[in-house]
Amino acid sequence: MKDSNPAACSACATKGLCGGKGLVTLKDGVWTVNPLAIQMLGICSALAVTSRLESSLVMGAALIFVCVGSNLFVSLLRQYTPHRIRMIAEVAIIATFVILFDQFLKAFYWDMSKQLGPYVGLIITNCIVMGRAEAFALQNPPVLSIVDGLANGLGYAGGLAIIGLARELLGTGKIFGHTVLLEQWYTPNQLMILAPGAFFTLGVVIAVFNALRGPQDEEENK
Amino acid sequence: MKDSLYTIGYAGILGTLCALLLTGVASFTAPYKANNARVEEVLSILTALGIPHAPDDSAARLLEIFDANVREARQGDSTIYIYASPEGEEEPQAVALKFAGPGLWGPIEGFLALEADMKTIRGLTFSHQEETPGLGGEIGAPWFREQFVGKTIVDRTGQPGISIGGGQGANAVDAITGATMTCDKLEAILDGVISRFVEERHEGQ
């Protein structure tokens, strides 16, 4: 992950709020080193919760919230955190934000909480969140870390939204529960709702992502 | 030494702060979660009793339907839910019994509804279960629950109880392959609630 993220190394040297690194960081997370399509992180939840667009969006929002929050606090505390227990501290911070979101869902969005099941709680173990805290927030100032958390959260949420949209549309002919593809000429493909549909869709998303991004980055990384 | 003390102090303070924050949030959301649990239970009772309701009814609407159609009554030590219109002198159409007990991984809770003859099963629902998804968790699936409809709560000899995976009979249903422990435990829970219901009914008469 280190080589693929130049911002993480160079940003320390710059002074000032974002040091002009804000846009690069944002583009990195959302596009250049997209956590889902390029780094292949968070695949488990991306496969599990994307059978409907609504649940995909809520899961994406959860990850943005957790990633921004944990990055901010890990970054704020980075000079005070003893090196030996830094990962335990990171997990404590991440777990706090995840439980906050989970409690919020359970109280005010009960149906969605039931649908997402254990996957909100499992964000604690999501590699993206821990990875960003470890690789970025520990070395960078708070504001830039927020940008990084937001960027990676958006990159993940965007991927989930695309997969969720494709699966719900092709699997049920609906979007947000409203019929889009009429039953007269479209037969919903149940396969898209089932687990294999998630694998197919994720594969296509990754392929398209890499094709659009172009081969030049791969050369650079080598 | 100084380093270690700092590390322990840091961990202690961070841990305490996180714990305080989470405790605060948990107690703030507690009433909302209790309300959600209540609605879930009401939905479970309505489904077991076969009281008509739309799948997208709001929480308030479900509680309204429940209050209009269901009366809670005591029989012996247990609460039973009686399906009857609010004027309520005529014979009840059905009753639901709450059952609860240990499953394989966690508590199993739900409702068993009986027809007006107090012998035939009208419906079975689970309001809470944490059995293995795909195996024991299948007890919550419609195919498993619908097997119970029309079965009786007494066997041929008049002995109260239900038999899961016990072959043929008016009180026997199929078990789930790969979920023997869950089925055994569920059978024990249902047997318990049924025999208690029958006993208390005799005492009451």
Side-chain angles (χ1 to χ4, degrees):
Chain A
M1 198 194 293
K2 242 180 220 164
D3 338 45
S4 59
N5 193 352
C9 312
S10 51
C12 325
T14 55
K15 298 202 168 58
L17 214 56
C18 275
K21 292 286 171 196
L23 266 183
V24 180
T25 310
L26 192 65
K27 195 187 166 212
D28 269 353
V30 177
W31 184 250
T32 321
V33 284
N34 183 292
L36 194 63
I38 308 297
Q39 299 182 50
M40 308 290 161
L41 297 176
I43 299 292
C44 172
S45 49
L47 294 170
V49 302
T50 51
S51 59
R52 287 176 54 229
L53 180 56
E54 195 187 0
S55 52
S56 311
L57 290 179
V58 173
M59 189 69 185
L63 199 104
I64 292 174
F65 172 76
V66 173
C67 221
V68 168
S70 66
N71 260 14
L72 170 64
F73 279 90
V74 168
S75 177
L76 280 174
L77 294 171
R78 70 188 190 283
Q79 269 135 21
Y80 310 101
T81 310
H83 191 71
R84 272 187 298 172
I85 61 160
R86 70 182 195 290
M87 294 190 101
I88 299 169
E90 285 161 19
V91 172
I93 293 168
I94 292 167
T96 305
F97 279 100
V98 171
I99 298 170
L100 276 180
F101 197 90
D102 199 28
Q103 295 282 324
F104 169 79
L105 279 189
K106 282 200 171 113
F108 303 107
Y109 210 178
W110 174 243
D111 288 336
M112 182 50 66
S113 174
K114 269 194 296 180
Q115 271 180 44
L116 291 175
Y119 289 100
V120 173
L122 283 174
I123 294 176
I124 295 174
T125 60
N126 192 310
C127 310
I128 301 173
V129 185
M130 188 80 186
R132 291 334 287 172
E134 197 46 28
F136 198 92
L138 270 184
Q139 286 101 36
N140 289 286
V143 178
L144 192 57
S145 295
I146 292 180
V147 174
D148 181 72
L150 185 67
N152 280 276
L154 281 174
Y156 172 84
L160 248 66
I162 295 169
I163 300 171
L165 180 71
R167 286 182 69 193
E168 186 175 354
L169 185 64
L170 298 176
T172 63
K174 296 174 180 176
I175 290 178
F176 285 129
H178 300 291
T179 307
V180 176
L181 302 175
L182 293 175
E183 280 168 28
Q184 285 94 315
W185 55 271
Y186 183 75
T187 312
N189 184 352
Q190 282 286 322
L191 180 70
M192 296 302 287
I193 295 296
L194 301 174
F199 280 96
F200 291 141
T201 319
L202 180 66
V204 171
V205 166
I206 291 171
V208 169
F209 219 97
N210 279 282
L212 287 178
R213 203 183 59 134
Q216 76 277 8
D217 296 289
E218 274 170 38
E219 294 297 313
E220 275 172 30
N221 286 349
K222 280 171 196 168
Chain B
M1 185 61 196
K2 212 180 159 196
D3 266 6
S4 302
L5 279 180
Y6 177 77
T7 305
I8 292 170
Y10 180 91
I13 291 170
L14 184 69
T16 313
L17 284 179
C18 290
L20 280 177
L21 183 65
L22 291 180
T23 313
V25 171
S27 45
F28 170 71
T29 53
Y32 299 97
K33 284 188 287 184
N35 187 44
N36 287 333
R38 170 76 182 146
V39 172
E40 192 75 3
E41 190 175 278
V42 160
L43 183 63
S44 204
I45 297 171
L46 291 182
T47 312
L49 286 171
I51 300 174
H53 60 273
D56 53 353
D57 273 341
S58 68
R61 176 84 189 113
L62 287 173
L63 290 172
E64 204 175 284
I65 297 177
F66 181 80
D67 289 338
N69 290 295
V70 182
R71 283 187 292 123
E72 291 182 21
R74 304 288 299 174
Q75 181 184 288
D77 289 334
S78 36
T79 307
I80 57 174
Y81 300 87
I82 301 170
Y83 176 19
S85 46
E87 299 80 44
E89 286 313 311
E90 75 265 43
E91 278 291 288
Q93 297 185 47
V95 300
L97 318 172
K98 186 186 171 97
F99 60 84
L104 180 58
W105 302 122
I108 296 179
E109 286 164 20
F111 297 90
L112 179 72
L114 302 175
E115 299 284 1
D117 65 2
M118 301 294 156
K119 274 207 176 88
T120 315
I121 295 175
R122 185 180 170 104
L124 175 78
T125 52
F126 295 95
S127 52
H128 181 92
Q129 55 100 351
E130 307 167 13
E131 303 308 291
T132 322
L135 293 172
E138 285 290 294
I139 56 171
W143 73 265
F144 182 77
R145 294 188 290 111
E146 279 159 14
Q147 292 189 96
F148 287 84
V149 178
K151 298 286 179 186
T152 59
I153 56 168
V154 290
D155 67 9
R156 236 168 306 165
T157 59
Q159 198 66 29
I162 200 94
S163 165
I164 300 177
Q168 304 288 309
N171 70 333
V173 295
D174 288 341
I176 302 166
T177 309
T180 311
M181 307 241 312
T182 297
C183 289
D184 287 351
K185 283 166 192 286
L186 179 62
E187 189 182 280
I189 297 170
L190 291 177
D191 279 351
V193 72
I194 288 169
S195 50
R196 205 178 60 205
F197 173 73
V198 172
E199 222 168 81
E200 286 172 349
R201 203 171 133 71
H202 282 306
E203 279 168 20
Q205 276 172 353

